[in-house]
Amino acid sequence: EAQVTQNPRYLITVTGKKLTVTCSQNMNHEYMSWYRQDPGLGLRQIYYSMNVEVTDKGDVPEGYKVSRKEKRNFPLILESPSPNQTSLYFCASSFHYRGRDTEAFFGQGTRLTVV
Amino acid sequence: KQEVTQIPAALSVPEGENLVLNCSFTDSAIYNLQWFRQDPGKGLTSLLLIQSSQREQTSGRLNASLDKSSGRSTLYIAASQPGDSATYLCAVKAQGGSEKLVFGKGMKLTVNP
């Protein structure tokens, strides 16, 4: 089954304690992205990657890092989480073929609370 | 800067009605537009993807149209059912190689039995 898998689904952590949210897709997609969803602000892109070793900032990259060492994985790293990073996080992937995108596939989401 | 608007923010209807959900965007230079569905506590599911060269797409009871020149898209849901209750989001991707989807804030639909 084609899917994007995020782990963990829920996480409560303390300010300053480094954490990683993993994202893996099994569709051999080139493109992967991270978004955060906040009430009243909607979904905003954090980082994206167009292929292995190619990453770039989205709209709200401050406080986050990513890496793309393998095509299937795109982890999101919070080196020193702060309460304003409490949010619902989504990983997404898609494929580009002959000048057109496929639909974007989203993971189930990771609800992060930083206290 | 691209902005995507969905009005109204919420809609409650009786079962069986035909529905039109609206999405507007400020910059017509888009690469594609997608409609998503989000259920509480779950991720987003893509419903329909319209490339910039297309005018509409259909899937089952769903039909989405795109008018780039006016910056509008509509999602038509025929014969609505309680299982259609969810939040519906519209997202556009800009031309120029950016991998960013710009989302509207969504419309929460409730279909009452």
Side-chain angles (χ1 to χ4, degrees):
Chain A
E1 179 189 356
Q3 59 185 7
V4 177
T5 304
Q6 292 178 230
N7 281 297
R9 292 289 312 279
Y10 303 91
L11 179 60
I12 300 175
T13 190
V14 297
T15 299
K17 184 177 181 181
K18 181 180 178 180
L19 67 92
T20 299
V21 183
T22 64
C23 174
S24 181
Q25 50 92 6
N26 62 0
M27 297 165 280
N28 202 36
H29 284 173
E30 302 156 327
Y31 300 160
M32 298 186 75
S33 293
W34 277 102
Y35 294 84
R36 60 178 289 174
Q37 186 175 35
D38 301 288
L41 296 175
L43 280 139
R44 295 175 292 167
Q45 191 185 54
I46 303 170
Y47 267 95
Y48 66 94
S49 169
M50 297 179 77
N51 215 323
V52 175
E53 302 292 1
V54 180
T55 64
D56 209 344
K57 297 177 181 179
D59 290 329
V60 288
E62 296 77 18
Y64 304 95
K65 286 174 56 176
V66 292
S67 68
R68 187 92 182 273
K69 294 186 171 60
E70 307 164 281
K71 201 169 188 179
R72 64 184 291 127
N73 296 322
F74 191 44
L76 180 69
I77 302 155
L78 286 72
E79 295 270 2
S80 183
S82 63
N84 65 11
Q85 293 178 298
T86 292
S87 186
L88 180 58
Y89 291 86
F90 289 103
C91 179
S93 74
S94 63
F95 184 64
H96 190 78
Y97 180 70
R98 291 188 178 179
R100 293 189 167 191
D101 285 349
T102 65
E103 59 187 333
F105 286 77
F106 278 72
Q108 292 288 76
T110 295
R111 185 165 292 281
L112 173 66
T113 302
V114 184
V115 299
Chain B
K1 178 185 174 186
Q2 178 73 271
E3 292 183 1
V4 179
T5 303
Q6 293 181 250
I7 295 173
L11 184 65
S12 182
V13 299
E15 181 177 6
E17 281 203 4
N18 298 323
L19 305 174
V20 176
L21 282 60
N22 295 305
C23 171
S24 62
F25 47 95
T26 54
D27 186 348
S28 62
I30 65 170
Y31 192 73
N32 59 45
L33 181 146
Q34 287 189 72
W35 283 93
F36 293 88
R37 168 185 174 138
Q38 184 175 22
D39 294 282
K42 296 193 176 180
L44 282 70
T45 301
S46 181
L47 298 172
L48 289 165
L49 167 65
I50 311 176
Q51 306 291 347
S52 63
S53 58
Q54 297 174 322
R55 296 297 299 269
E56 66 176 346
Q57 282 283 356
T58 298
S59 176
R61 293 184 295 111
L62 304 179
N63 176 276
S65 67
L66 174 63
D67 185 342
K68 280 200 315 178
S69 61
S70 67
R72 294 179 189 274
S73 176
T74 59
L75 178 67
Y76 177 81
I77 303 176
S80 58
Q81 304 169 356
D84 294 328
S85 298
T87 296
Y88 290 81
L89 297 114
C90 164
V92 299
K93 181 177 175 181
Q95 293 178 358
S98 167
E99 263 315 293
K100 181 172 66 178
L101 292 175
V102 179
F103 282 85
K105 291 185 170 59
M107 193 210 77
K108 184 176 181 180
L109 174 65
T110 303
V111 181
N112 301 299

